[in-house]
Amino acid sequence: MAYSAEFRCIAGCPGGYPLDQVIYRCPRCHDLLEVVHDLAALRDRSADAWKRLFAERWRSLDEPDGSGVWGKHEWVVPQLARTHVVSMLEGGTHLTPVPKFAAALGLGDVRVKQCGTSHSGSFKDLGMTVLVSMVKGMIAAGKPLRAIACASTGDTSAALAAYAAAANIRAVVILPRGKISTAQLVQPLAAGALVLAVDTDFDGCMKLVQELADREGVYLANSMNSLRLEGQKTVAIELAQQLGWTVPDWVVIPGGNLGNVSALGAGFEMMLALGLIDRRPRICVAQAAHASPLYDSYRRGFAPLEAVKARPTLASAIQIGNPVSFAKAVRALRAFDGVVEIASEAELADASALADRDGLFTCPHTGVALAALTKLAARGEITRDHRVVVISTASGLKFADFKVGYHEGTHAEVPAPRYRNTPIELPEDYDAVRTALLRGL
Ligand SMILES: *Cc1c(COP(=O)(O)O)cnc(C)c1O
Ligand SMILES: [Zn+2]
């Protein structure tokens, strides 16, 4: 394949590094790296030819072409041989209309991109299939890598453990002992990951995993690793494809470490550069009010990041006070005329429950995005003639406690759940059941 991509420093230091080199940060200035593609080579196919190729592969029975990520292989990690690809047919997720939700907000066309309808239940699969496939290729080429490690406790570790198990590579999850519930860890435990519970906090785990990566031949899967963003980028391409290669007016996405919004921006930029679309959507990043350093910066004209101590939130996957990909996210927001919104616990829980009434089962992070959309609609910033796509990041099935607590009314921060629904308890008596039925319909 004549297509190629390499790592480069986001601060613009000279030099590129092969994608199969073990490197996480710029060796000159220590800033983040990003994957840069040879766009001139990709122009050997016209925009229409790319669209036809992507359409042929969309949900194809041929593996891994039917994967939403590997159907776009040339735009993701072009030099990786197909034989190393570790895929579970991730991506290709539904763009579900939510007409009742939209009507309640006074909006017209609102759809939810269901990235959580995926192998391990979150969009993290889209990045992890790429990272694990690259490591499989590196091991096959003789690189001395013993395992892949991360310090996440939620969706990243679940995705890493699953894809590493499928690739027959050891996965290591490092977590602060006593601070994580077994339920949060059951996916990596089930997949046979080596789980190390260390007497420290999350930052301590992060430090340890980085040192292991530097010294012990363990590959780092945390989100400073920009390989993951190349897979996540396909969400932008998919949703444009699903809209007949048109661009929505707005995309609303929840943000924590801010890798996913950076990937979203990168996907749209690549489509623009190669002529598949002709304009940018506006982007709204939605943060939990309990963990909103990007919002604070946005309010001050994108002032430099001031790390905060994130408070507990129902949206636990975005309880992050010092986001790794802050600089990339600000760059995307500036390019996409972006805004940042926040949601309280009650706002995110009610928005999530309202969207469920359209047949979804949304996670709390999706609730944060839906609550942000509610606010933008109320302010008149988003109106009835705008087409909106909300990125749903995980399956609500992974967050059963959140749902149960909402409908049982037991979340302290959501004292009056607006869309609460509880069972009507009845005796075994036809008239009583009939009365309840007629009253309830
Ligand atoms: C990781 C994650 C996010 C946040 O993505 P970032 O790239 O860290 O901004 C949001 N929702 C869910 C469910 C996640 O797992
Ligand atoms: Zn640099």
Side-chain angles (χ1 to χ4, degrees):
M1 222 183 272
Y3 305 125
S4 69
E6 61 181 12
F7 289 125
R8 287 202 204 139
C9 169
I10 62 161
C13 295
Y17 312 91
L19 298 187
D20 60 358
Q21 184 175 332
V22 179
I23 184 170
Y24 311 110
R25 285 183 174 277
C26 173
R28 291 170 195 254
C29 76
H30 214 63
D31 210 333
L32 296 174
L33 299 171
E34 66 182 330
V35 175
V36 177
H37 289 259
D38 178 354
L39 293 174
L42 289 164
R43 289 199 181 94
D44 76 337
R45 276 191 172 96
S46 68
D48 279 341
W50 283 117
K51 289 176 186 176
R52 275 196 304 276
L53 184 66
F54 293 162
E56 270 166 36
R57 292 174 178 167
W58 178 259
R59 293 189 141 214
S60 155
L61 292 179
D62 295 331
E63 297 198 22
D65 284 354
S67 152
V69 173
W70 298 105
K72 275 98 182 165
H73 190 155
E74 297 87 343
W75 289 35
V76 175
V77 279
Q79 290 114 313
L80 180 74
R82 264 173 89 97
T83 46
H84 301 312
V85 168
V86 184
S87 172
M88 311 233 218
L89 290 191
E90 50 289 317
T93 52
H94 197 225
L95 193 56
T96 311
V98 284
K100 285 186 272 183
F101 184 86
L105 270 52
L107 299 180
D109 186 351
V110 179
R111 306 179 200 205
V112 176
K113 180 67 174 150
Q114 299 269 44
C115 299
T117 312
S118 185
H119 180 71
S120 77
S122 86
F123 78 84
K124 298 292 199 294
D125 291 350
L126 303 173
M128 212 50 86
T129 183
V130 175
L131 184 141
V132 170
S133 299
M134 285 297 299
V135 173
K136 196 173 167 209
M138 288 151 112
I139 291 172
K143 288 227 159 68
L145 294 171
R146 290 193 216 173
I148 311 178
C150 77
S152 151
T153 54
D155 297 327
T156 299
S157 41
L160 169 61
Y163 281 86
N168 198 21
I169 299 170
R170 288 308 303 274
V172 183
V173 173
I174 299 188
L175 59 104
R177 185 175 151 223
K179 298 197 171 96
I180 303 299
S181 70
T182 310
Q184 280 172 287
L185 268 176
V186 76
Q187 286 181 292
L189 288 170
L194 178 62
V195 176
L196 305 177
V198 184
D199 280 320
T200 178
D201 59 7
F202 186 78
D203 293 326
C205 292
M206 207 45 236
K207 221 170 129 242
L208 283 166
V209 81
Q210 284 180 21
E211 199 168 334
L212 292 174
D214 286 342
R215 299 169 51 169
E216 311 293 341
V218 166
Y219 192 77
L220 192 63
N222 275 101
S223 70
M224 72 192 51
N225 190 322
S226 50
L227 286 176
R228 282 173 47 196
L229 302 194
E230 291 309 288
Q232 291 169 212
K233 183 179 83 179
T234 58
V235 169
I237 310 170
E238 274 191 17
L239 69 86
Q241 185 173 2
Q242 286 169 300
L243 296 172
W245 299 106
T246 63
V247 175
D249 299 291
W250 282 90
V251 181
V252 186
I253 184 170
N257 245 329
L258 304 177
N260 210 25
V261 61
S262 312
L264 184 78
F268 281 112
E269 293 291 5
M270 202 157 170
M271 286 189 283
L272 267 174
L274 294 169
L276 279 75
I277 56 171
D278 57 9
R279 66 184 186 100
R280 292 179 178 83
R282 294 188 68 188
I283 290 179
C284 170
V285 175
Q287 296 208 290
H290 286 187
S292 55
L294 179 68
Y295 179 74
D296 299 342
S297 157
Y298 166 74
R299 295 278 292 192
R300 291 180 285 124
F302 290 120
L305 173 66
E306 277 180 30
V308 299
K309 185 161 167 32
R311 288 179 285 150
T313 165
L314 293 165
S316 52
I318 56 174
Q319 188 189 323
I320 293 169
N322 189 13
V324 171
S325 295
F326 173 81
K328 287 184 181 177
V330 169
R331 189 174 63 179
L333 284 168
R334 286 189 194 278
F336 288 77
D337 194 10
V339 303
V340 184
E341 246 320 327
I342 49 170
S344 71
E345 299 297 292
E347 286 165 344
L348 74 88
D350 282 330
S352 165
L354 180 58
D356 287 357
R357 297 289 179 94
D358 273 298
L360 274 61
F361 197 66
T362 52
C363 76
H365 321 86
T366 308
V368 171
L370 292 162
L373 173 58
T374 307
K375 290 183 165 176
L376 291 173
R379 279 214 294 275
E381 182 130 23
I382 298 185
T383 61
R384 180 177 294 282
D385 41 272
H386 287 138
R387 176 183 270 181
V388 183
V389 172
V390 176
I391 306 294
S392 172
T393 47
S395 165
L397 293 169
K398 288 184 85 160
F399 299 88
D401 290 350
F402 162 67
K403 289 286 180 216
V404 171
Y406 183 85
H407 290 288
E408 290 187 343
T410 54
H411 290 313
E413 301 240 25
V414 193
R418 286 175 67 186
Y419 307 102
R420 188 175 177 196
N421 193 17
T422 52
I424 300 165
E425 292 172 354
L426 295 163
E428 186 186 2
D429 171 69
Y430 181 79
D431 286 332
V433 174
R434 179 174 181 273
T435 307
L437 173 87
L438 296 180
R439 194 182 298 144
L441 288 181

